[in-house]
Amino acid sequence: MLVVIFRARIAALDAEYEHTAAQLRETALRDFGCLRFEALSAGDEEIALSWWPDEASISAWKQHLDHRAAQARGRERWYASYSVQVARVEREYDYP
């Protein structure tokens, strides 16, 4: 399993951002194999974590036209900066 870690410094979020984020999350989970998605924000920082079964699923998602359009709007309007990391999950523990 892989996790994509998206960290961003927010420039300005609006209603279009909220709508777009919700739609993209649903599409990733339903159509592209995303296993889980969580996002948190505090002040002007946001972090989103998404879990994927394999690199092919991540690559397909990265090329999806709606996702690419949202990435462009993110660079133009919503984010001052961002970084993306992809990491392999070696172990996972749950309680209880």
Side-chain angles (χ1 to χ4, degrees):
M1 178 170 36
L2 300 168
V3 61
V4 175
I5 306 162
F6 175 82
R7 293 184 178 132
R9 182 155 319 272
I10 298 167
L13 302 183
D14 54 24
E16 182 185 359
Y17 170 84
E18 296 297 331
H19 177 74
T20 300
Q23 278 191 318
L24 290 177
R25 184 177 306 118
E26 181 181 319
T27 301
L29 290 163
R30 183 189 62 232
D31 298 336
F32 287 86
C34 182
L35 303 168
R36 190 166 97 213
F37 184 96
E38 297 176 12
L40 302 164
S41 61
D44 68 345
E45 294 185 18
E46 177 182 74
I47 186 166
L49 304 170
S50 57
W51 288 262
W52 300 83
D54 52 42
E55 187 72 38
S57 299
I58 295 170
S59 294
W61 174 240
K62 186 174 181 179
Q63 297 306 315
H64 180 55
L65 291 179
D66 291 344
H67 187 209
R68 291 176 62 107
Q71 290 171 339
R73 285 193 305 275
R75 287 187 295 273
E76 294 165 3
R77 296 184 357 217
W78 299 324
Y79 298 120
S81 63
Y82 66 85
S83 67
V84 178
Q85 297 171 303
V86 178
R88 184 165 308 284
V89 176
E90 295 294 331
R91 276 182 219 96
E92 184 173 350
Y93 300 91
D94 290 317
Y95 176 83

